[in-house]
Amino acid sequence: MEPNIRSSNKLARHDLPQFFLLVALYFVQGIPVGLAFGTIPFLLKSMAKETSFTSLGIFSMATYPYSLKILWSPIVDSFYSKKIGRRRTWIIPVQLVSGVLLILLGWAIGKNYIFQGVDNAFHGLPTDVSHTNIMSLVWYFGLLVFLCATQDICVDGWALTILSKQSLSYASTAQTVGLNMGYFLSFTVFISLNSSEFINKYFRAMPKPYGLISLGGYMQFAGYVYIMLTLYMIFYTTENPGRKSRHVLPRHSKSQDKDKVIVEYHDGDVVSNEKTQNIGYIYRCFGKVLKLKSIQTLALIHLVTKIAFQCNEGATNLKLLERGFKREDLAAVSYTHLRAHETTLHL
């Protein structure tokens, strides 16, 4: 029995393309998340030290869609085109819109229409972000986070069907690896490469008053990455990749009851999902789940468990910036909080 147990813990070779696709999808999701959760507050505080914590608290509203995505997840799960596929129906347009939005926002930031002053050093202008309209940033980045949260709903659901049962446990691995890479790139790596002091110290013989990568340029680059990945999905993926060649993925079949969809695994396991396209039914199930005492207890624990750490996670780094810490050094130290952020996002 031991050889079978060991083999069942390994990622199946035929699942490798699907696994790497999931990593890529979670990676692009982590890019706007890293910007909204880490980079923008850092830039606001480091480039305009008079920026109040009230303003930063207002900007944190842009991150709320990640916590509230459960409210519209039944809609995403219920409405789709059978021709395109249940998950690709949402992932493709959401990522296209995200890519275009990143490109437009990057262009607007470079032209000083949004987040005025943040890229001025790259154009030989005085850097001053003290007059930035915080609410405009909340709307723009809040929309980005909303799109990322919607994409996360789809990718989480897709991960359960494109991996075989043997490799299903690796869906969370793909999420952790991809999201952390995207967050790390958009936060720690970007802050370092955006800093003139860091670039002048390690990469330049002659110092210059700006870093290597501007915020607007980085966001436009990220937008093109989104679009290229989406084009790959359009032309080179299907809703059920590898389904025809291997009988290792779950397959759907109709039952006598029209409201039931039978999901049958290759090992004989059968799961029936009733009325999964009825949004009212899904919300009623959601309400029943919320009435369970165990769920209420767990929700209460998650509600209060981070109170003791919130001051440290939310204010300590920004206070250190006030005391003269270099932002690129502090960004590197702040990566230790990344796993805590990632856990919070997916509760």
Side-chain angles (χ1 to χ4, degrees), residues 27-77:
F27 169 75
V28 295
Q29 180 190 139
I31 292 176
V33 171
L35 290 172
F37 279 77
T39 296
I40 301 303
F42 254 62
L43 292 177
L44 284 169
K45 196 61 181 175
S46 62
M47 300 182 76
K49 291 184 170 31
E50 65 272 17
T51 300
S52 66
F53 284 94
T54 301
S55 297
L56 295 176
I58 292 173
F59 177 77
S60 70
M61 293 169 57
T63 65
Y64 285 4
Y66 244 107
S67 301
L68 301 175
K69 61 187 177 182
I70 194 173
L71 298 179
W72 65 90
S73 59
I75 299 175
V76 175
D77 204 47

Side-chain angles (χ1 to χ4, degrees), residues 1 9 24 38 66 77 81 103 110 113 126 157 169 177 189 208 218 226 229 241 249-250 268 274 278 289 294 303 339:
M1 293 296 292
N9 290 332
Y66 244 107
D77 204 47
S81 167
I103 293 171
Y113 297 138
S169 61
V177 172
V189 175
K208 295 181 180 180
Y218 175 76
Y226 256 93
L229 177 60
L249 297 174
E274 296 185 6
N278 186 325
V289 170
S294 57
L303 181 65
R339 290 302 299 275

Side-chain angles (χ1 to χ4, degrees), residues 115-135:
F115 208 171
Q116 293 86 349
V118 70
D119 282 346
N120 276 2
F122 290 84
H123 306 292
L125 301 173
T127 302
D128 182 16
V129 301
S130 57
H131 302 293
T132 297
N133 187 334
I134 296 294
M135 284 308 302

Side-chain angles (χ1 to χ4, degrees), residues 123-158:
H123 306 292
L125 301 173
T127 302
D128 182 16
V129 301
S130 57
H131 302 293
T132 297
N133 187 334
I134 296 294
M135 284 308 302
S136 67
L137 293 182
V138 171
W139 283 108
Y140 294 129
F141 283 93
L143 178 57
L144 268 178
V145 173
F146 170 79
L147 292 171
C148 287
T150 304
Q151 188 245 27
D152 183 59
I153 295 168
C154 304
V155 177
D156 285 348
W158 205 24

